[in-house]
């Protein structure tokens, strides 16, 4: 089954032409820019470019459900941060008066919370946050979908990244889908014994999580032990690892890397001088 | 030249109480280029022995070691695991945890690359290992997309590429389909013969026939001690083999049975080829022209089953547009039948089972999945599980409570039954596998056989009419298998349950099932009694299945002696040979 972490063979230029190192640079630049920028006007083009690349790479649309799922799971911190953006002094680029125009606000005169609620500015911030998350995930999915882990590992080895770090990347990538299938299996096995989490009683929720948590912990411990053993058997940790491939970049790779790194430097300068990307 | 030497070697795991040992005073020597089988029931100490060969025990699995193990001239006490990895390679039971890379070629290179070898040397080793493991056609494939047998061959290739002098295999074929088993064992043998490597392979019993085909020597261990050590034929004839529950190859059982009946042979065979040759010689010598069933021999009489309880029609299932896991599967199962579902890894058996209990829905609208004439596609899972239920292969996927009692009482608690009823149902479920004496035992540290019995007992309080059980005999020794199948028959005979088992164990199917469904690549390709199905061995190859060894012996004797092609059990074959010899001698 497809997952956000699975590579699939394809014929797009992202699969066949670009070097993993180039894709790594592109992804890292997007992650850094998304971390810096707050303004949706800057973040939207990043997301749009990611979506175009996803279309070119023929990434299955259902993988993007992960964005919805992750946003759904993080609704509480998102809402908490959004309602905390109601004060005008938070906005340095947007018109503070417009930004602090309240839609639904309250004053909390204790714990230093002051004004909380929804304003035009907080909604603008929220839109930027969602867009930033979607952009990073989209580029991440495109990167993982078009780049085999062995190519990523070899590139990291060629870049002289310590073998233990590369191994952790490799193992995480390989075992996340495996662990996901084990979680599904445990959940199904318990469902067949009548287990469910349908209760609002927190004590019951805790008790009912044990049939999932205990087997999962046991299986995880077993897998960690087996992987440790299997890696040691294969000589992991012996010392210097030989990279299987060289880092040879085509002119297109070099051009893209220069453009992305140049773009990143320009974004830093623009942010420092003109507050570009800030709100 | 001595390749492995154990000198008074004992080992106790950290968690074991003082006085208890996983391995106790082992002393043996293994010659270079030999293939040695270490047999014993689950928990006998086989895996500990294998792990001690490259220092995993005690350096990774911590504990207390006494005595020494010398491998390839190195005392394992003085070297790290990754240093010993150049001398001793280990292939584990589960191929999935041994594969790290995204292509077959890269995965084979993982070990040599870790050793920091020059790239040319790595490529040479990879190429040779891939050739030896017969994986040339899969070099660029993703290991997740190849069969279980191929994955295990990949794990072997990964170890071969490190060019160790000693290779140890820890139950390497227990999770594979019959053809996968045959392939892995044949590669094991070839590699040892070609490269002069010393090999050790462990076995709990279910695959003793495959192991007997390749070993030069057998060491039987029980409770951490060496019980018997010698040439395979001598060890497998020893009566103590029954005591440790490993079992013998069916052909060995047959010749021992014939010996009891007064038919003498120059030796007792342990392989199919040897058995065929000995029997042919004997039959020719006695002038036996034809092997016939005695007229009064009662092949399993047709049973009378109830009306259909499971009805399946035209199930298709797509996991994604490329993966068409079930391709129009249809069948019905009558009440009180014991059905075996067999097929290669990835043939769709588990996907089918998941449909039968409502965990998956067919992807086509016109499919029918009915249990007790009710379309379960429209039912909630909590209703379905009281009509039909499914036990997964790995008990560790479900066991979580403190004690056996609590574990069994969990299901009736979840459906809010009154405490009295929970107590009654739990006690009733414990009786099926005689679990009452263990009811207060902690789940952690239970033996494999108890875990398997427990995982089935856990769903019995829900009173499902149909039980689907995935690999019920995996991890059980021969006595455990007998107990399991006897208990399942009791459930059928006394409680009217319908039993469906998914298995790779053809002996279990031949001995205990009323009917077999054969799956291959998402299709149901055969459906009949074990006799009907196993008689068509060529067709079975489509599903990577080999009939039980005794059936294959009958088929090997069919052309010259007209032996029935559908012999199912050792007793039946012994009857046929005994009857035919006496018939010839009496001139009838």
């Amino acid at each position: 089954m497809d997952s956000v972490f699975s590579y699939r063979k394809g014929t797009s230029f992202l699969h066949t032409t670009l070097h993993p190192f180039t894709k790594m640079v592109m992804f890292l630049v997007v992650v850094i820019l998304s971390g810096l920028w707050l303004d949706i006007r800057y973040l939207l083009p990043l997301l749009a470019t990611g979506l175009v690349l996803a279309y070119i790479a023929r990434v299955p649309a259902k993988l993007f459900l992960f964005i919805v799922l992750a946003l759904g799971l993080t609704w509480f911190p998102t809402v908490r941060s959004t309602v905390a953006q109601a004060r005008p002094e938070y906005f340095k680029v947007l018109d503070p008066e417009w930004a602090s125009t309240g839609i639904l606000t309250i004053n909390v005169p204790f714990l230093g919370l002051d004004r909380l609620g929804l304003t035009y500015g907080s909604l603008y911030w929220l839109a930027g946050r969602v867009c930033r998350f979607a952009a990073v995930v989209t580029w991440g999915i495109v990167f993982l979908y078009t780049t085999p882990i062995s190519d990523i590992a070899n590139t990291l080895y060629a870049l002289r990244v310590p073998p233990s770090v590369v191994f952790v990347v490799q193992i995480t990538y390989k075992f996340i889908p495996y662990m996901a299938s084990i979680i599904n299996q445990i959940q199904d096995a318990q469902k067949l014994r009548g287990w469910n989490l349908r209760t609002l009683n927190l004590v019951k929720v805790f008790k009912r999580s044990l049939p999932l948590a205990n087997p999962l912990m046991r299986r995880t411990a077993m897998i960690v032990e087996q992987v440790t053993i299997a890696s040691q058997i294969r000589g992991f940790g012996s010392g210097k690892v030989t990279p299987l491939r060289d880092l040879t970049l085509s002119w297109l790779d070099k051009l893209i890397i220069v453009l992305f790194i140049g773009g990143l430097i320009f974004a830093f300068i623009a942010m420092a001088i003109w507050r570009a990307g800030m709100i | 030249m001595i390749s492995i030497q154990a000198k008074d070697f004992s080992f106790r795991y950290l968690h074991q109480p003082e006085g208890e040992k996983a391995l106790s005073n082992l002393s043996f020597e293994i010659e270079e280029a030999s293939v040695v089988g270490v047999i014993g029931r689950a928990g006998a100490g086989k895996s500990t022995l294998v792990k001690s060969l490259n220092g995993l025990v005690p350096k990774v699995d911590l504990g207390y070691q006494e005595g020494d193990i010398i491998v390839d001239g190195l005392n394992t006490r003085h070297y790290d695991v990754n240093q010993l990895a150049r001398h001793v390679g280990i292939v584990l039971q589960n191929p999935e945890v041994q594969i790290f890379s995204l292509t077959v070629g890269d995965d084979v290179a993982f070990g040599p690359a870790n050793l920091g070898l020059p790239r040319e040397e790595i490529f040479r080793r990879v190429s040779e290992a891939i050739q030896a493991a017969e994986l040339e056609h899969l070099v660029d494939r993703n290991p997740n997309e190849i069969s279980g047998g191929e994955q295990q061959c990949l794990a072997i290739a990964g170890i071969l590429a490190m060019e160790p002098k000693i290779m140890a295999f820890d139950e390497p074929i227990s999770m594979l389909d019959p053809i996968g088993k045959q392939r892995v064992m044949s590669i094991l043998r070839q590699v040892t013969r070609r490269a002069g490597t010393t090999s050790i392979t462990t076995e709990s019993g279910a695959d003793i026939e495959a192991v007997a085909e390749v070993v030069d020597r057998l060491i039987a261990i029980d409770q951490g001690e060496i019980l018997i050590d010698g040439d395979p034929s001598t060890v497998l004839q020893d009566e103590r083999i029954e005591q440790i529950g490993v079992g013998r190859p069916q052909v060995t059982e047959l010749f021992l049975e014939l010996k009891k009946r007064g038919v003498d042979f120059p030796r007792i065979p342990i392989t199919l080829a040897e058995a065929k040759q000995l029997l042919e010689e004997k039959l020719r010598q006695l002038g036996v022209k034809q092997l016939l069933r005695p007229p009064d021999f009662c092949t399993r009489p047709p049973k009378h089953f109830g009306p259909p309880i499971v009805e399946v029609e035209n199930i298709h299932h797509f996991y994604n547009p490329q993966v068409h896991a079930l391709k129009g599967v249809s069948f019905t199962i009558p009440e009180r039948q014991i059905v075996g579902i067999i097929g290669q890894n990835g043939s769709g058996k588990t996907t089918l089972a998941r449909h039968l209990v409502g965990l998956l829905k067919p992807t086509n609208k016109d499919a029918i999945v009915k249990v007790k004439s009710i379309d379960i596609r429209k039912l909630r899972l909590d209703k379905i599980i009281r009509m039909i239920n499914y036990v997964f292969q790995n008990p560790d996927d479900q066991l979580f409570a403190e004690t056996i009692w609590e574990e069994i009482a969990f299901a009736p608690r979840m459906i809010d039954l009154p405490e009295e009823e929970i107590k009654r149902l739990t006690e009733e479920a414990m009786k099926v596998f005689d679990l009452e004496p263990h009811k207060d035992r902690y789940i952690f540290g239970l033996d494999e056989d108890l875990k398997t019995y427990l995982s089935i007992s856990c769903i019995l309080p829900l009173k499902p009419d149909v039980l689907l059980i995935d690999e019920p005999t995996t991890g059980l020794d021969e006595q455990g298998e007998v107990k399991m199948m006897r208990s399942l028959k009791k459930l059928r005979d006394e409680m009217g349950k319908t039993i469906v088992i998914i298995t790779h164990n053809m002996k279990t199917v031949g001995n205990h099932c009323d009917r077999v469904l054969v799956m291959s690549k998402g299709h149901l390709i055969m459906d009949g009694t074990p006799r009907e199905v196993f008689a068509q061995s060529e067709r079975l190859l489509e599903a990577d299945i080999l009939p039980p060894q005794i059936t294959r012996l009958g088929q090997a004797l069919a052309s010259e002696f007209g032996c029935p092609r559908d012999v199912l059990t050792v007793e039946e074959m012994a009857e046929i040979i005994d009857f035919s010899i006496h018939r010839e001698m009496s001139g009838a």
Side-chain angles (χ1 to χ4, degrees):
Chain A
M1 284 176 68
D2 291 323
S3 82
V4 281
F5 297 100
S6 58
Y7 161 77
R8 285 285 176 275
K9 273 188 186 158
T11 52
S12 72
F13 82 99
L14 286 155
H15 283 91
T16 56
T17 311
L18 290 191
H19 193 280
F21 180 65
T22 313
K23 286 183 269 184
M24 240 182 250
V25 170
M26 290 163 69
F27 179 53
L28 277 177
V29 167
V30 169
V31 170
I32 295 169
L33 288 178
S34 305
L36 292 174
W37 289 341
L38 298 169
D39 193 332
I40 191 170
R41 289 171 296 180
Y42 289 77
L43 291 162
L44 261 180
L46 280 188
L47 173 61
T49 324
L51 289 172
V52 169
L53 291 178
Y55 177 76
I56 291 169
R58 297 277 183 267
V59 177
K62 69 177 177 184
L63 289 189
F64 294 95
L65 288 176
F66 178 77
I67 298 175
V68 181
L69 179 73
L71 285 171
L73 289 174
T74 56
W75 69 271
F76 182 70
T78 306
V79 169
R80 191 186 53 196
S81 306
T82 305
V83 298
Q85 309 287 332
R87 291 157 69 169
E89 60 266 32
Y90 289 159
F91 299 93
K92 310 285 184 203
V93 176
L94 296 178
D95 174 11
E97 198 181 324
W98 174 84
S100 60
T101 307
I103 300 168
L104 185 65
T105 58
I106 51 165
N107 278 312
V108 184
F110 47 83
L111 295 173
L113 291 173
D114 205 3
R115 190 169 184 242
L116 296 177
L118 288 182
T119 61
Y120 289 158
S122 65
L123 282 182
Y124 197 83
W125 176 88
L126 174 65
R129 181 182 164 120
V130 171
C131 190
R132 169 203 297 175
F133 181 78
V136 170
V137 173
T138 304
W139 279 79
I141 290 174
V142 169
F143 174 55
L144 294 174
Y145 193 81
T146 58
T147 319
I149 184 60
S150 36
D151 285 0
I152 297 173
N154 276 312
T155 306
L156 294 175
Y157 282 130
L159 290 168
R160 303 283 180 260
V161 174
S164 52
V165 175
V166 183
F167 186 66
V168 168
V169 172
Q170 214 167 342
I171 287 297
T172 309
Y173 187 96
K174 177 176 160 47
F175 282 94
I176 282 180
Y178 185 54
M179 289 308 296
S181 73
I182 285 175
I183 292 169
N184 273 340
Q185 185 107 324
I186 292 171
Q187 204 172 346
D188 286 345
Q190 303 302 30
K191 276 186 196 165
L192 292 171
R193 298 166 73 190
W195 172 88
N196 64 65
L197 260 181
R198 285 195 297 270
T199 173
L200 293 174
N201 180 332
L202 283 178
V203 177
K204 275 193 176 172
V205 167
F206 173 73
K207 278 189 176 171
R208 287 189 183 185
S209 65
L210 292 180
L212 277 193
N214 282 3
L216 181 61
M217 279 192 290
R218 211 169 41 234
R219 287 295 303 270
T220 307
M222 281 179 196
I223 289 168
V224 167
E225 192 204 356
Q226 288 174 332
V227 170
T228 308
I229 288 174
S231 61
Q232 298 218 11
I233 290 169
R234 304 282 292 277
F236 181 74
S238 303
K240 195 182 153 210
V241 178
T242 310
L244 296 175
R245 292 173 193 90
D246 288 321
L247 194 64
T248 41
L249 301 172
S250 67
W251 67 267
L252 180 65
D253 286 308
K254 288 174 189 161
L255 177 69
I256 290 174
I257 290 168
V258 167
L259 281 176
F260 268 74
I261 292 179
L264 181 66
I265 293 168
F266 180 72
F268 270 117
I269 295 168
M271 201 169 68
I273 299 174
W274 302 296
R275 293 193 165 175
M278 301 288 96
I279 57 172
Chain B
M1 200 178 151
I2 303 300
S3 180
I4 303 169
Q5 191 179 18
K7 294 180 186 171
D8 267 335
F9 182 76
S10 299
F11 180 76
R12 173 164 71 89
Y13 284 103
L14 274 188
H15 63 79
Q16 284 185 299
E18 226 166 304
E20 219 176 80
K21 282 177 181 170
L23 293 174
S24 194
N25 303 316
L26 301 191
S27 290
F28 59 82
E29 288 178 349
I30 294 175
E31 289 284 334
E32 199 178 67
S34 52
V35 185
V36 178
V38 177
I39 57 175
R41 60 162 64 105
K46 306 181 300 293
S47 297
T48 308
L49 176 59
V50 162
K51 287 181 193 167
S52 65
L53 296 178
N54 72 345
L56 283 166
V57 157
K59 293 187 178 88
V60 176
D61 281 351
L62 303 176
Y64 308 99
Q65 172 183 340
E66 288 167 37
D68 295 292
I69 294 228
I70 318 289
V71 289
D72 198 20
L74 309 171
N75 189 327
T76 57
R77 272 179 191 275
H78 309 310
Y79 296 88
D80 285 334
V81 177
N82 45 36
Q83 288 172 307
L84 288 168
R86 293 167 188 261
H87 304 269
V88 183
I90 297 185
V91 177
L92 305 171
Q93 188 175 13
N94 181 357
E96 278 185 287
V97 298
Q98 303 169 76
I99 294 167
F100 300 100
S101 306
L102 216 86
T103 65
V104 166
D106 282 357
D107 200 73
V108 177
F110 180 75
N114 281 333
L115 299 179
L117 299 171
R119 211 178 282 174
E120 298 70 36
E121 174 66 7
I122 293 173
F123 292 148
R124 179 193 69 76
R125 288 184 177 204
V126 168
S127 155
E128 283 181 15
I130 281 180
Q131 205 181 354
E134 298 171 7
L135 293 169
E136 295 97 326
H137 59 298
L138 300 172
V139 176
D140 294 320
R141 291 278 297 278
N142 181 339
N144 291 337
E145 292 165 0
I146 62 179
S147 74
E150 288 164 343
Q151 283 184 346
Q152 197 58 295
C153 289
L154 170 57
I156 294 175
I159 297 295
L160 274 179
M162 299 179 73
E163 298 191 346
K165 294 271 179 61
I166 298 161
M167 287 188 73
F169 300 82
D170 192 7
E171 304 221 18
I173 55 173
S174 62
M175 298 171 86
L176 308 182
D177 52 53
I179 293 286
K181 289 178 201 286
Q182 207 181 37
R183 178 176 174 172
V184 169
M185 293 317 275
S186 130
I187 284 170
L188 184 154
R189 184 165 44 187
Q190 279 175 34
V191 161
T192 310
R193 300 277 181 258
R194 195 189 307 174
T197 316
T198 307
S199 296
I200 290 193
T201 183
T202 67
E203 176 51 43
S204 298
D207 296 312
I208 189 72
E209 286 153 3
V211 171
E213 296 273 346
V214 299
V215 293
D216 310 319
R217 173 179 165 191
L218 277 178
I219 300 176
I221 61 173
D222 191 33
Q223 297 179 347
E225 293 180 28
I226 294 180
L227 194 67
I228 325 164
D229 181 355
D231 74 87
S233 178
T234 313
V235 172
L236 288 171
Q237 283 178 64
D238 197 301
E239 281 175 6
R240 287 172 293 175
I241 280 291
E242 283 164 27
Q243 179 191 324
I244 63 168
V246 172
R248 302 182 172 103
Q250 284 186 311
V251 292
T252 310
E253 293 279 8
L254 172 70
F255 278 66
L256 290 173
E257 176 63 28
L258 289 171
K259 197 175 165 188
K260 272 192 219 159
R261 294 172 183 235
V263 187
D264 277 328
F265 291 90
R267 61 185 188 281
I268 301 291
I270 57 166
T271 67
L272 180 62
E274 207 184 351
K276 177 179 177 258
Q277 186 202 340
L278 284 169
L279 265 177
E280 282 173 346
E281 283 168 8
K282 187 75 180 179
L283 295 172
R284 282 180 204 137
Q285 181 196 330
L286 295 173
V288 176
K289 300 274 183 311
Q290 197 168 17
L291 288 170
L292 294 170
R293 276 198 185 94
D296 57 343
F297 182 81
C298 178
T299 56
R300 214 173 286 163
K303 289 195 182 73
H304 298 290
F305 306 108
I309 189 163
V310 177
E311 295 164 75
V312 165
E313 208 176 303
N314 194 31
I315 298 186
H316 285 265
H317 192 89
F318 285 88
Y319 282 111
N320 62 44
Q322 285 83 41
V323 184
H324 192 175
L326 290 180
K327 299 168 183 165
V329 174
S330 305
F331 59 86
T332 58
I333 298 175
E335 274 177 13
R336 295 190 300 280
Q337 195 168 53
I338 297 184
V339 180
I341 303 183
I342 59 176
Q344 71 266 70
N345 297 84
S347 60
K349 304 184 295 291
T350 305
T351 304
L352 176 61
R354 284 174 168 269
H355 279 82
L356 297 182
V357 288
L359 288 173
L360 286 177
K361 304 260 185 269
T363 42
N364 56 322
K365 291 217 170 90
D366 58 339
I368 294 173
V369 188
K370 283 184 181 173
V371 178
K372 295 171 88 177
S373 304
I374 300 169
D375 187 348
I376 62 160
R377 289 179 308 162
K378 293 168 188 155
L379 283 188
R380 277 176 30 192
L381 195 61
D382 55 348
K383 299 272 186 297
I384 297 172
I385 59 177
R386 299 175 81 168
M387 297 159 62
I388 180 167
N389 213 314
Y390 176 35
V391 183
F392 286 90
Q393 181 182 352
N394 190 343
D396 287 314
D397 282 344
Q398 65 176 69
L399 304 183
F400 75 97
E402 270 194 27
T403 63
I404 286 185
W405 170 276
E406 286 300 321
E407 194 72 56
I408 299 176
F410 174 70
R413 281 215 172 99
M414 287 310 299
I415 54 170
D416 295 324
L417 292 180
E419 205 53 39
E420 271 304 298
E421 185 67 357
I422 292 172
K423 189 166 176 280
R424 189 184 67 76
L425 289 170
T426 306
E427 277 169 2
E428 201 178 289
M430 279 203 294
K431 280 185 191 144
V432 175
F433 290 100
D434 307 321
L435 292 173
E436 300 101 319
H438 309 282
K439 68 174 185 175
D440 295 323
R441 280 188 64 180
Y442 285 102
I443 299 295
F444 180 74
L446 278 186
D447 295 336
E448 282 305 310
D449 53 349
L450 279 181
K451 279 193 204 170
T452 308
Y453 303 143
L454 176 58
S455 62
I456 298 174
S457 304
C458 282
I459 59 162
L460 296 180
L462 295 169
K463 299 261 172 195
D465 299 289
V466 185
L467 292 176
L468 284 156
I469 308 171
D470 203 342
E471 294 289 359
T473 58
T474 297
L476 302 183
D477 56 32
E478 200 168 65
Q479 289 157 6
E481 186 203 333
V482 170
K483 179 177 172 181
M484 168 64 73
M485 295 315 295
R486 198 183 55 217
S487 303
L488 294 181
K489 279 187 175 162
K490 195 164 116 188
L491 281 171
R492 186 266 300 271
D493 297 336
E494 294 175 13
M495 301 185 194
K497 308 278 185 206
T498 305
I499 313 280
V500 181
I501 61 171
I502 297 172
T503 184
H504 285 322
N505 190 335
M506 298 305 128
K507 259 196 280 187
T508 305
V509 173
N511 288 335
H512 304 286
C513 290
D514 302 312
R515 180 173 162 206
V516 195
L517 304 178
V518 186
M519 299 286 300
S520 176
K521 295 170 188 159
H523 293 282
L524 176 63
I525 60 163
M526 292 170 88
D527 178 356
T529 63
R531 237 174 244 295
E532 291 163 354
V533 168
F534 288 145
Q536 302 175 56
S537 49
E538 291 80 15
R539 185 95 202 276
L540 277 175
L541 284 176
E542 276 178 45
D544 286 353
I545 297 290
L546 288 174
Q549 192 183 43
I550 204 71
T551 314
R552 282 183 282 147
L553 177 64
Q555 289 167 355
L557 296 170
S559 57
E560 187 176 347
F561 299 98
C563 183
R565 295 179 59 86
D566 58 357
V567 179
L568 281 185
T569 63
V570 170
E571 295 69 35
E572 186 183 348
M573 188 57 130
E575 279 287 322
I576 290 171
I577 294 169
D578 195 17
F579 168 74
S580 304
I581 290 175
H582 281 101
R583 183 170 163 269
E584 190 58 43
M585 289 168 86
S586 65

